[in-house]
Amino acid sequence: MTVPLLVLERFGIAFPGRGRVVPVVEDISLALRPGEVLGMVGESGSGKSITWQGALGLAGPGAVTSGRVLVDGRDVASADDHTLAGLRGRRIAMIFQDPMTALNPVLTVGRQIVEALALHRGLRGQAARAEAGRLLDRVGIPGGAGRLRAYPHELSGGMCQRVMIAMALAGDPAVLIADEPTTALDATVQAQILDLLDDIRRERGMALVLISHDLGLVAAMADRVAVLYAGRMVEAGDAGDVLDVPRHPYTAGLLAAMPAIHGPRRRLTGIPGRVPAPGEIAGGCRFAPRCGRAAPACRAHVPALEGGSHLVACFRPMTSAEACA
């Protein structure tokens, strides 16, 4: 068995608020191995992005983390800023949701890539500019060297996303976290960006975390899937198992809200209600107020995530027959 590059063990994040510490993510445990694609799915507010921001020390001032974050077997959950800065970009890189706001508007894209190369690989001068041009070529920007003097506002959204990928690759990371990498891009550009990420992963043997609310996208790329709801992992396992035979009612609800490409048209079924804000979470299963299968035990106790290779946190999980109906 390959040694994991990155492991989260009972990881949690909380923020101070109104005289108490409010948890926003709790008890997240997962491992990521070389070349693997992990899809993290859930509605907005489920805790997908903040989990990885917290693991990298990017959750902002006041964030309180718990549990362990193992990078190459070393716990960095309580590491200082200097140690984390050495890991970010070099071992673990992150592509943020909106490239138009993640890029600095007053610096050329070449300057921003060269800064990443200087920080992570010690390249400067002509060597750094040549490598920046090569990276732009690699991510599919034609005439990459000629684009180094362009500013972000001179590029399309798809081009800016490619620049963000080039910056992430500048440190030759072992793990790439892609946070909604195709947000606000049209369908053709989305497909190009996803193909690019997959090609780079295969070429470098890099592990990829794909954060998305798009189950179709995750189904096409992920080896394993983790489903988050209100800051907790409710289902996890091989992508085929989780998406073809979901056992948690929340996962089944997400799939029921997706239109089918093939077969007869059917009415989509939405999940009533909304994801609760961290300060609104009561006891018991967090999905119980929206779940049609909830029993009294669901409102009184928190279900454990268990089940071997296909994990589910539910007192009344769906059977295979129900999932396939």
Side-chain angles (χ1 to χ4, degrees), residues 17-295:
R18 297 186 179 182
R20 64 190 180 104
V21 176
V22 180
V24 296
V25 169
E26 294 184 80
D27 205 19
I28 303 294
S29 295
L30 52 84
L32 194 63
R33 290 180 168 80
E36 184 176 40
V37 181
L38 171 67
M40 294 193 74
V41 300
E43 296 167 277
S44 296
S46 292
K48 306 182 299 296
S49 300
I50 194 65
T51 294
W52 294 105
Q53 290 170 9
L56 296 177
L58 298 173
V64 179
T65 61
S66 58
R68 301 207 300 169
V69 179
L70 303 178
V71 179
D72 299 324
R74 182 175 56 151
D75 187 7
V76 299
S78 57
D80 56 32
D81 290 341
H82 178 74
T83 301
L84 287 174
L87 292 171
R88 291 194 291 255
R90 195 169 298 171
R91 293 297 294 161
I92 307 169
M94 189 166 185
I95 304 171
F96 296 96
Q97 284 193 30
D98 186 355
M100 300 303 288
T101 57
L103 292 170
N104 191 325
V106 301
L107 298 179
T108 64
V109 297
R111 170 79 177 275
Q112 295 180 65
I113 298 172
V114 164
E115 283 185 353
L117 289 167
L119 178 64
H120 301 305
R121 289 165 58 182
L123 295 179
R124 287 174 173 78
Q126 184 56 40
R129 287 190 291 274
E131 179 63 9
R134 188 193 71 79
L135 285 171
L136 290 183
D137 286 333
R138 177 63 191 88
V139 298
I141 296 181
R147 298 277 188 164
L148 294 177
R149 294 186 179 182
Y151 288 88
H153 72 271
E154 297 178 297
L155 303 176
S156 67
M159 289 289 192
C160 285
Q161 189 63 281
R162 292 173 190 272
V163 170
M164 289 293 297
I165 295 171
M167 290 177 63
L169 296 177
D172 196 19
V175 178
L176 180 62
I177 301 167
D179 188 358
E180 301 281 7
T182 58
T183 297
L185 302 179
D186 62 55
T188 301
V189 177
Q190 282 187 26
Q192 293 171 354
I193 293 297
L194 294 174
D195 287 344
L196 171 63
L197 289 173
D198 199 44
D199 287 346
I200 292 170
R201 176 189 66 84
R202 294 174 185 277
E203 174 187 301
R204 300 189 174 209
M206 180 178 64
L208 176 65
V209 177
L210 184 60
I211 300 171
S212 182
H213 61 270
D214 187 337
L215 292 176
L217 182 157
V218 170
M221 290 191 67
D223 301 308
R224 290 189 300 117
V225 173
V227 183
L228 269 65
Y229 181 78
R232 277 187 173 269
M233 202 153 66
V234 297
E235 188 164 7
D238 290 341
D241 293 340
V242 173
L243 300 179
D244 292 341
V245 191
R247 302 199 63 212
H248 198 283
Y250 179 60
T251 310
L254 292 177
L255 291 165
M258 287 182 59
I261 297 176
H262 305 290
R265 289 188 298 175
R266 61 178 177 83
R267 183 177 295 277
L268 302 182
T269 305
I271 303 174
R274 61 176 178 84
V275 180
E280 300 173 347
I281 294 171
C285 173
R286 296 179 179 186
F287 188 60
R290 304 175 69 188
C291 181
R293 299 170 63 88

